[in-house]
Amino acid sequence: MAKDTPQTFYLKDYTPFGYDVESVHLTFRLAPETTRVLSKIRFAPKPDAADKTFFLHGEELKLISAKLDGQEVTPELADGGLKCEVPSAPFTWEAEVEINPAGNTALEGLYMSNRMYCTQCEAEGFRKITYYPDRPDVMSTFTVRIEGDEPVMLSNGNPMGQGEGWAEWHDPWPKPAYLFALVAGDLVNHPGSFTTKSGKEVELNIWVRPGDEGKCAFGMETLKKSMKWDEDVYGLEYDLELFNIVAVDDFNMGAMENKGLNIFNSSCVLASPETSTDANFERIEAIIAHEYFHNWTGNRITCRDWFQLCLKEGLTVFRDAQFTADMRSEPVKRIDDVITLRARQFPEDNGPLAHPPRPEAFQEINNFYTATVYEKGAEVIGMLKRLVGDDNYYKALQLYFERHDGQACTIEDWLKVFEDATGRDLSQFKLWYSQAGTPRVKVSEDYADGTYTLTFEQSTPPTPGQPDKAPRVIPMAVGLLSPNGDEVRGTQVLELTDAKQSFTFDGLASKPVPSILREFSAPVILERETTNAERAFLLAHDTDPFNRWEAGNALAKETRVAMVLDGAAPDAAYLDALEKLVRDDEQDPAFRALVLSPPSQADIAQTLHERGYTPDPQKIYDAAETFTQTLAQQLETSLPRLYAATTVEGPYAPDAESAGKRALNGRILSLLTRLDGGEQAARQYASADNMTQQYAALGALMKAEKGEVQSQAFFDQWQDDRLVMDKWFALQIACAAPEKTAATAAALTKHPLFDMKNPNRFRAVFGALAGNHAGFHHASGEGYQLLAENLIALDSLNPQTTARMCAAFQTWKRYDAGRQSLIRAQLSRIAGTEGLSRDTNEMVTRILDA
Ligand code: PHE
Ligand code: ZN
């Protein structure tokens, strides 16, 4: 399937479609290889339209017939769609097309997963279902008839009727085609219901394959909690009689917010204590909430074009983070999010793939479902909220829903709402949406005669296409502590607007210790000369839990960097501080688990790179091993007691408190395993009645190369459970020593249960490979080669997942010349593959252009 020369689309070229779509009627005659789709669409020319071209998108469609107002016509088939001469008055377009769901391995459009029909239309998948103006600013009501012999046949909106071999659906809310969905198959439902605040009864269902019924209860409870939360916090009520969620095994992303018919990767909805870890439960909770929240932020108010993607995604991620913070622990959620931001968004923002939260050009929009659009998009909203204050934030949001309900909007619309609600000028703030790159903020301080001065200098390194950057508005949350540990100034938000700016604090009896960027109030990199003594002081005394963790994290990085660069021993003062904290039962176990989790090796590599060094992955690995071993020895006498004290007794429950305790317990177990030869882990493995403890024990054993028996037992026990098998695949690669990582992954690709076509399985193997820093970057280059070979093989089947995984190479310029040339060779090999998809071509080209 050779793609023609790549076309680039630009934000500045936006033009509205020349026609309104008044209604859409679709009939599906389902057949695995020859599904017929009949469309009947009412179009009305817009009187004031500048461009009256009647172009309908369409890809991989076999056109059987087309009619205008009942008369057969022969449209001109063009690249990516068709053109047709149409009347200047309203008219009815009818088309019949044939598509092949069973042959659709790209998982976009209508495809089959385990004999079940399902769709994925975001961003531009609807054009693989029928000819249509497949753009988010074209909104219409959809009426859908499904004909087939599947026991369950679902679409968006409310059911209108069903009989032997057919079902009809109508969605009264106008929506863009990317929110269309259809599901048909042998499914069973886990039912529920919710009464909205105005007293409307909503029927809820989670639809799964027979056998998975027992894994729906948690998802259902979460859905109800999300519905209630959105009413309580944002005043937003659900707007249909029915809300369906369907679990599918083959899915490119996490889940999809189709109106009234959310479709989920089964890994993001199915949960049971025996098969899911605490981390799985938390992720499922967040994703169910996220998709539900899209009903207002995404569906009722959608995007004008795909450049505005962060309008719905940044806001919805922000909302789901608020939800998780409310359901669990606010500081722990914040720390987790910052860890993820630094692990996923910072490398993107500081490498060849850097782009602003609102990009200005793309070849393939699927390549812009990124950490920058999602996570940085959410950070930008967090900053906005901090700048205007909570009351103004909710006032602005109410205005947003009032003013724009039913519309397809832009970032300009969004900011205007805040300007109108608060009277604030947001033109400088808007730079966060148009400038890429992570700002560096250099901090210096001065103290004289009771006055303390903080000076901030901001700058952002060049990013592709953006050599120079203007200063941005940066909300800098700061507090001051006195040397005895009391807080002398509570948190205050300083607004940085200039390249260099100072702030003074008067009336201070002695030089304070500053706590800067509390709660991580802006997605920036702070540069400040400070001492380990001061970091240890903040770790012990800061009143802001985020910054307490951050101080510990900085200490961990400093000692690991010193170990790598100077061959230093682990910092004794830091080890003491850790020991004190771990043993402090007053502290939240989840927080202690976080402090006890060392920065990842990739994070150390990133830190070294930021400081101008070339990271050596093997040395970073060795330092990590030495550090953990030393920590284990330091804690030796207390580990058994700590292990016992943090073991959660009684039946498993996924709540935050017990999950936090188990997280700490898992950390203790992994340290203990370094000293006791795996005895405790083997006991835990044998007695575990939940996946969190079983998996923690298995991981600890495998890391110590003592888990062979348990790994086999795990396989025997779970081989019929796809999601658990993904864990089994991933864990072996994650735990492998650097020199064995690529070989382990290669062997697993030969395993009978390896399935290239299942994105979860592919990601289990290759996500784990790319995530094993020292293994992937092993000097042999085997990791690079294995990934490249498999990306090439996957590309012809599933371009979207292939392209996403190319990002594993985005940091290549950080490494030494030898590794760079090994990676370049693999990237060039991918780039040179004949018939490479537009998706993958765009990604490797951008990465290579670094
Ligand atoms: N819109 C989905 C979400 O954020 C993500 C998604 C994008 C899913 C593209 C499928 C395809 O919830
Ligand atoms: Zn989303």
Side-chain angles (χ1 to χ4, degrees), residues 107-108 120-123 178-179 251-258 263 287 290-291 294 306 309 312-313 316-317 366 369 374 800 804:
L107 315 181
E108 283 175 345
Q120 174 51 47
C121 294
E122 187 177 6
Y178 83 85
L179 292 173
F251 201 75
N252 282 331
M253 308 280 277
M256 180 62 211
E257 69 265 23
N258 317 300
I263 297 182
I287 296 184
H290 179 98
E291 305 312 331
H294 266 315
W306 291 118
L309 182 57
K312 74 175 175 83
E313 294 305 346
T316 305
V317 171
N366 282 335
Y369 287 75
Y374 277 66
Q800 194 181 341
R804 286 183 81 74

Side-chain angles (χ1 to χ4, degrees), residues 598-618:
S600 72
Q601 292 166 48
D603 195 357
I604 300 298
Q606 181 159 293
T607 304
L608 286 166
H609 169 71
E610 280 163 15
R611 298 183 187 180
Y613 299 100
T614 301
D616 178 336
Q618 184 65 42

Side-chain angles (χ1 to χ4, degrees), residues 318 334 357 376-389 393 418 424 426 429 432-433 439 472-476 493 495 517 520-524:
F318 182 74
R334 189 62 188 140
K376 192 173 181 177
E379 291 296 321
V380 172
I381 291 173
M383 286 190 285
L384 192 52
K385 179 159 174 281
R386 209 177 282 275
L387 288 169
V388 303
Y393 170 81
F418 276 80
R424 215 184 146 105
L426 291 170
F429 185 80
W432 279 105
Y433 285 104
R472 306 181 210 201
V473 187
I474 298 177
M476 187 61 73
V493 180
E495 287 185 26
L517 200 63
F520 201 69
S521 60
V524 301

Side-chain angles (χ1 to χ4, degrees), residues 75-240:
E76 173 194 342
L77 295 186
D79 184 34
L82 61 74
K83 273 187 202 155
C84 198
E85 291 296 323
V86 296
S88 51
F91 59 90
T92 300
W93 160 268
E94 285 170 275
E96 179 167 357
V97 302
E98 188 174 291
I99 53 180
N100 176 2
N104 182 348
T105 56
L107 315 181
E108 283 175 345
L110 179 67
Y111 65 93
M112 299 201 77
S113 169
N114 277 330
R115 293 183 297 282
M116 156 184 161
Y117 292 87
C118 69
T119 54
Q120 174 51 47
C121 294
E122 187 177 6
E124 300 181 333
F126 192 75
R127 62 189 63 183
K128 294 183 170 183
I129 292 176
T130 192
Y131 288 99
Y132 196 73
D134 187 9
R135 37 187 291 168
D137 59 344
V138 172
M139 298 166 85
S140 181
T141 57
F142 282 62
T143 307
V144 177
R145 179 181 168 89
I146 311 170
E147 298 175 2
D149 19 284
E150 304 299 330
V152 175
M153 300 194 283
L154 310 172
S155 191
N156 314 86
N158 298 317
M160 302 306 286
Q162 66 177 70
E164 193 57 35
W166 64 274
E168 279 181 11
W169 293 82
H170 176 71
D171 182 358
W173 298 103
K175 65 167 175 290
Y178 83 85
L179 292 173
F180 168 81
L182 177 153
V183 169
D186 182 12
L187 296 168
V188 288
N189 67 322
H190 177 108
S193 73
F194 181 80
T195 310
T196 68
K197 62 174 180 174
S198 69
K200 276 181 285 175
E201 188 82 2
V202 183
E203 181 190 332
L204 313 173
N205 288 300
I206 299 183
W207 296 93
V208 296
R209 289 193 292 150
D212 284 336
E213 302 91 323
K215 295 180 177 176
C216 301
F218 179 77
M220 182 55 77
E221 283 321 299
T222 301
L223 174 59
K224 292 183 206 168
K225 284 184 191 161
S226 311
M227 296 177 86
K228 179 77 170 64
W229 187 90
D230 218 10
E231 292 185 348
D232 291 346
V233 178
Y234 282 86
L236 299 172
E237 208 175 326
Y238 187 61
D239 55 2
L240 289 165

Side-chain angles (χ1 to χ4, degrees), residues 481 485-487 491 515 518 538 541-546 548:
L481 303 174
D486 296 338
E487 191 172 67
T491 304
S515 166
R518 284 185 158 182
L538 288 172
H541 298 292
D542 204 325
T543 52
D544 179 61
F546 175 82
R548 233 147 50 75

